[in-house]
Amino acid sequence: MRIGSSKELNQETLTSLGKISAASDWRGAGETIDANLFRLKALHKLMQAAEDCDADALVDVDYREEILPRTEHPGATPLKRVCATAVAVKLKSA
């Protein structure tokens, strides 16, 4: 699975299969675990989703954090996760 920007893969002919997304598991917003670990988990799940749709590469991967407030219990720690999105593409050598 190749990962890059559309500029980096400009030597290839790209056929877009569509935008896909995946997310890490939810965790407590106050946890001090390295955020890069959760980015890698989201990327791994994104790569699995790309393979499921027979993609050769992911283009323009983007990450964002989602926060879920826990209003059912006042004072409860909110949850957060990392979401990754990208365009899944099929490559054809130029």
Side-chain angles (χ1 to χ4, degrees):
M1 177 67 53
R2 292 176 58 185
I3 300 172
S5 70
S6 52
K7 291 178 184 176
E8 291 171 339
L9 298 174
N10 66 357
Q11 300 292 330
E12 307 275 351
T13 301
L14 307 177
T15 302
S16 176
L17 301 176
K19 194 168 192 173
I20 60 173
S21 62
S24 68
D25 296 328
W26 289 102
R27 67 186 190 283
E31 290 184 21
T32 59
I33 299 172
D34 184 10
N36 286 328
L37 173 66
F38 291 93
R39 285 174 60 115
L40 287 173
K41 287 182 178 187
L43 179 60
H44 181 71
K45 288 183 178 183
L46 189 66
M47 290 169 63
Q48 288 175 331
E51 288 171 358
D52 289 346
C53 64
D54 203 28
D56 297 319
L58 292 170
V59 177
D60 300 329
V61 178
D62 187 38
Y63 300 94
R64 72 180 190 291
E65 275 195 351
E66 287 186 348
I67 297 177
L68 178 66
R70 299 179 60 196
T71 57
E72 73 278 3
H73 300 291
T77 303
L79 299 174
K80 68 180 178 179
R81 68 181 179 178
V82 175
C83 296
T85 58
V87 177
V89 296
K90 197 80 171 149
L91 301 175
K92 296 178 188 170
S93 296

